[in-house]
Amino acid sequence: MPRVAATSTTEIQQAAAFRVALRAFHRETERWTERAGLTPQRYLLLLLVKGAEDGSSRATISELAKRLHLAQSTVTELVNRTAAAGLVQRSPSEADARVVYVELTREGEQRFSEAFEALSDERKRLAAVVAELAR
């Protein structure tokens, strides 16, 4: 049987507090995304496209797969379903014909903005918990 390292009660309490705050954040995300006509999974996709690391508000399937920690085929299917719902569109790269970017449609922008703005206080609450636990 592996030996378990001694862990302080405080560390366990902090881990528990973090998980409680994270779960509350996820629950509020579910609630607000549903009100905006999105699933939490689609909201996350829209968030990662809009919040692309290069600031372009667009992303490739490969970039999304890396950030979501999912297989490229899984992300492709998510993008396909989200595109069928009219929330994202694909556009070819002008520099490389093999590259296709995913961008939000007008409808995607509207629904994303609605959910994102509604979650502002939740993001602040989660950030405060993380900051407190980091001390």
Side-chain angles (χ1 to χ4, degrees):
M1 181 153 53
R3 183 176 171 176
V4 178
T7 305
S8 75
T9 301
T10 301
E11 286 178 289
I12 294 170
Q13 289 171 325
Q14 289 175 332
F18 174 72
R19 294 302 296 211
V20 167
L22 192 57
R23 179 62 194 126
F25 178 78
H26 282 292
R27 180 62 194 115
E28 286 302 303
T29 298
E30 291 166 354
R31 191 166 70 98
W32 286 107
T33 56
E34 185 177 318
R35 287 184 181 184
L38 298 169
T39 64
Q41 194 175 34
R42 285 183 182 165
Y43 172 75
L44 180 56
L45 177 70
L46 299 180
L47 176 64
L48 294 183
V49 170
K50 188 73 176 171
E53 291 179 310
D54 65 2
S56 67
S57 295
R58 66 182 189 178
T60 66
I61 299 290
S62 296
E63 291 167 349
L64 293 168
K66 179 182 171 192
R67 293 182 79 192
L68 288 166
H69 300 275
L70 294 171
Q72 195 160 332
S73 60
T74 303
V75 174
T76 297
E77 182 55 34
L78 175 59
V79 169
N80 289 345
R81 289 191 315 269
T82 307
L87 303 173
V88 296
Q89 63 189 10
R90 289 180 172 86
S91 59
S93 167
E94 294 177 9
D96 186 344
R98 298 169 296 174
V99 176
V100 175
Y101 291 103
V102 178
E103 302 173 288
L104 276 61
T105 62
R106 181 172 286 147
E107 179 71 14
E109 289 275 0
Q110 186 272 322
R111 290 192 199 184
F112 168 76
S113 293
E114 182 181 335
F116 187 79
E117 290 170 21
L119 287 164
S120 176
D121 288 343
E122 292 307 314
R123 285 190 306 277
K124 290 175 187 171
R125 270 192 276 282
L126 183 58
V129 168
V130 170
E132 180 63 30
L133 293 174
R135 290 184 215 177

